């Protein structure tokens, strides 16, 4: 069994360059349009400039399918590691976040599924836990790096369970409000077609749900809009393990998806909710970053509050998102929080757009 010392550094090393800092006016235009849509930023840029930038980018952009395949490949390059969290609870960590599995005579009950190219090694890891089939797959939210292997697992007999908004979002096309920087340094947004029918959750919950299996109680609860509007947490109550999905980025600035309801205040509320459930021995599984605990989540929550308050002050003073970035409000936070998937300039924009 290997350990998981610092997934944050491994993610950074694979150059998952979400929302790279823009240095030119043209790049900032493109970044802002992708993050929020022209309607949210009409007060910043003229419609003519936005249309011209979008038209120019469209002529040079690779296909949406190629971009998505490249992003999946980058996630898949992260090595998979295994960490036992309790007697019958195991975490697989790597190509698209974390997968947690409850294993026993009632079958395997797993949370999240990695990116699509990781399926062979995910299947091998699952088989390595024993012969029991996967009975249930729980999606913490709709994003592809957490749902990509739903169809494989459903075909093998598992029922996919998620919040009703996860099924709704997966059933729609999306231009995910992030940018992808390719090998040539060009910036692109990521387009997602609706997921195929066999990848959609077969069972949904509106608010909360409980599962009893393998001597364990799994308590599922929907968060108010936080990372997205589809987030849930999964509490393995006997094992004292809580999987938060992407409502917790351990040790780094988080990504919050403004295109599907993400709110920085919701991220803070999500942290407060889990802190009320956790004790000093609780293992808290982050969507990205190493396995965490109550202290780690408290530090992340405090950073979110500080970030929100600083950006809110600038926004209330009439600063635009671009002007807020120029103020460098997170400069003192960067030594701790700025070495992950996104940097402080990008997180200023995210905080601004999700207030």
């Amino acid at each position: 069994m290997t350990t998981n010392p610092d997934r944050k550094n491994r993610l950074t090393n694979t150059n998952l360059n979400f929302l790279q800092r823009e240095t030119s006016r043209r790049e900032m235009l493109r970044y802002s349009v992708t993050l929020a849509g022209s309607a949210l930023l009409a007060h910043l840029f003229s419609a003519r400039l936005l249309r011209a930038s979008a038209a120019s980018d469209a002529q040079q952009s690779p296909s949406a399918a190629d971009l998505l395949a490249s992003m999946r490949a980058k996630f898949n390059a992260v090595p998979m590691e295994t960490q036992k969290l309790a007697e019958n609870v195991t975490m697989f960590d790597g190509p698209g976040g974390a997968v947690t599995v409850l294993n026993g005579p009632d079958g395997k009950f797993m949370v999240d599924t990695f990116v699509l190219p990781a399926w062979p090694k995910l299947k091998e890891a699952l088989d390595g836990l024993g012969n029991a089939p996967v009975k249930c797959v729980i999606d913490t939210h709709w994003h592809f790096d957490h749902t990509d292997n739903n169809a494989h697992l459903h075909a093998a007999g598992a029922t996919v369970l998620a919040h009703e908004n996860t099924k709704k979002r997966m059933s729609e096309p999306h231009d995910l409000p992030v940018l992808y920087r390719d090998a040539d340094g060009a910036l692109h947004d990521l387009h997602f077609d609706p997921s195929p029918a066999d990848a959609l959750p077969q069972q949904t919950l509106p608010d909360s749900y409980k599962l009893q299996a393998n001597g364990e109680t799994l308590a599922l609860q929907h968060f108010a809009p936080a990372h997205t509007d589809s987030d849930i947490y999964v509490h393995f109550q006997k094992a004292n393990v809580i999987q938060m999905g992407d409502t917790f980025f351990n040790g780094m600035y988080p990504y919050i998806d403004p295109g599907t309801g993400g709110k920085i205040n919701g991220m803070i509320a999500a942290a407060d909710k889990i802190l009320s459930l956790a004790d000093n021995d609780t293992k808290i599984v982050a969507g990205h970053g190493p396995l965490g605990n109550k202290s780690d989540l408290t530090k992340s929550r405090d950073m979110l509050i500080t970030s929100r308050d600083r950006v809110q002050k600038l926004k209330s003073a009439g600063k635009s998102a671009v002007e807020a970035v120029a103020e460098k409000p997170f400069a003192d936070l960067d030594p701790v929080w700025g070495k992950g998937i996104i940097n402080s300039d990008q997180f200023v924009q995210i905080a601004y757009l999700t207030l």
Side-chain angles (χ1 to χ4, degrees):
M1 180 178 71
T2 58
T3 58
N4 177 14
D6 193 352
R7 174 156 31 115
K8 174 179 69 175
N9 288 338
R10 291 187 290 101
L11 283 169
T12 303
N13 290 339
T14 57
N15 294 318
L16 301 179
N17 291 317
F18 292 107
L19 306 166
Q20 290 293 320
R21 178 183 178 184
E22 312 308 338
T23 56
S24 69
R25 178 174 179 82
R26 180 174 177 274
E27 286 182 328
M28 182 61 79
L29 286 169
R30 178 170 50 192
Y31 171 47
S32 301
V33 174
T34 307
L35 258 181
S38 58
L40 289 179
L41 294 173
H43 66 291
L44 294 177
F45 306 112
S46 74
R48 178 178 297 176
L49 281 174
L50 291 171
R51 285 196 300 269
S53 177
S56 175
D57 292 345
Q59 293 174 1
Q60 301 175 29
S61 295
S63 73
D66 287 344
L67 288 172
L68 188 53
S70 181
M71 177 62 79
R72 284 184 165 115
K74 286 182 179 292
F75 270 111
N76 191 49
V78 180
M80 183 184 296
E81 298 180 348
T82 300
Q83 188 167 357
K84 195 164 186 177
L85 305 185
E87 182 179 355
N88 58 351
V89 179
T90 302
M91 181 177 76
F92 302 132
D93 162 40
V99 169
T100 307
V101 184
L102 170 70
N103 184 43
D106 297 329
K108 299 183 180 84
F109 294 73
M110 60 185 292
V111 184
D112 288 341
T113 73
F114 289 148
V115 291
L116 193 60
W119 171 244
K121 53 189 170 184
L122 176 58
K123 184 180 185 302
E124 181 180 5
L126 289 168
D127 291 345
L129 295 178
N131 296 325
V134 177
K135 290 292 188 69
C136 182
V137 175
I138 301 166
D139 294 333
T140 58
H141 63 292
W142 78 269
H143 284 158
F144 76 105
D145 51 322
H146 299 259
T147 62
D148 251 2
N149 286 298
N150 281 2
H152 281 304
L153 290 153
H154 178 53
T159 297
V160 180
L161 171 63
H163 188 262
E164 57 191 15
N165 284 348
T166 293
K167 184 172 184 178
K168 175 179 181 290
R169 294 302 189 184
M170 291 178 69
S171 302
E172 304 167 337
H174 290 284
D175 290 303
L176 190 66
V178 300
L179 288 178
Y180 170 70
R181 188 181 294 276
D182 64 24
D184 297 324
L187 293 159
H188 313 278
D189 60 341
L190 290 174
H191 175 77
F192 293 86
D193 292 325
S195 299
D198 56 355
L200 299 177
Q202 291 83 50
Q203 184 177 351
T204 61
L205 59 130
D207 186 46
S208 62
Y209 191 81
K210 281 194 175 182
L211 286 170
Q212 303 284 341
N214 298 320
E216 178 63 271
T217 299
L218 283 71
L220 286 59
Q221 181 68 49
H222 181 233
F223 290 116
H227 173 67
T228 68
D229 62 8
S230 64
D231 304 302
I232 64 170
Y233 69 84
V234 181
H235 188 184
F236 299 80
Q237 293 181 335
K238 182 179 177 180
N240 199 15
V241 171
I242 302 174
Q243 182 150 346
M244 292 184 64
D246 282 0
T247 60
F248 181 30
F249 282 59
N250 190 12
M252 66 185 84
Y253 296 124
Y255 176 63
I256 309 171
D257 183 355
T260 55
K263 301 290 182 185
I264 191 169
N265 282 327
M267 293 286 284
I268 294 166
D272 284 335
K273 173 63 178 177
I274 301 306
L275 289 171
S276 74
L277 297 175
D279 60 36
N280 291 334
D281 296 319
T282 304
K283 296 179 176 69
I284 304 176
V285 180
H288 299 278
L291 180 69
N293 56 31
K294 190 170 185 177
S295 176
D296 296 323
L297 183 57
T298 299
K299 293 173 185 175
S300 180
R301 186 272 313 271
D302 292 347
M303 176 274 294
L304 288 170
I305 291 172
T306 298
S307 300
R308 176 201 62 189
D309 291 349
R310 290 179 183 180
V311 175
Q312 183 63 71
K313 183 177 180 180
L314 293 170
K315 192 170 185 178
S316 297
K319 300 285 187 181
S320 69
V322 176
E323 291 167 337
V325 169
E327 294 284 335
K328 301 291 183 184
F330 302 158
D332 60 319
L333 302 177
D334 280 355
V336 174
W337 303 99
K339 299 176 182 178
I341 293 173
I342 59 174
N343 65 30
S344 60
D345 287 353
Q346 299 146 6
F347 190 52
V348 172
Q349 291 262 2
I350 289 168
Y352 189 100
L353 296 168
T354 59
L355 277 169

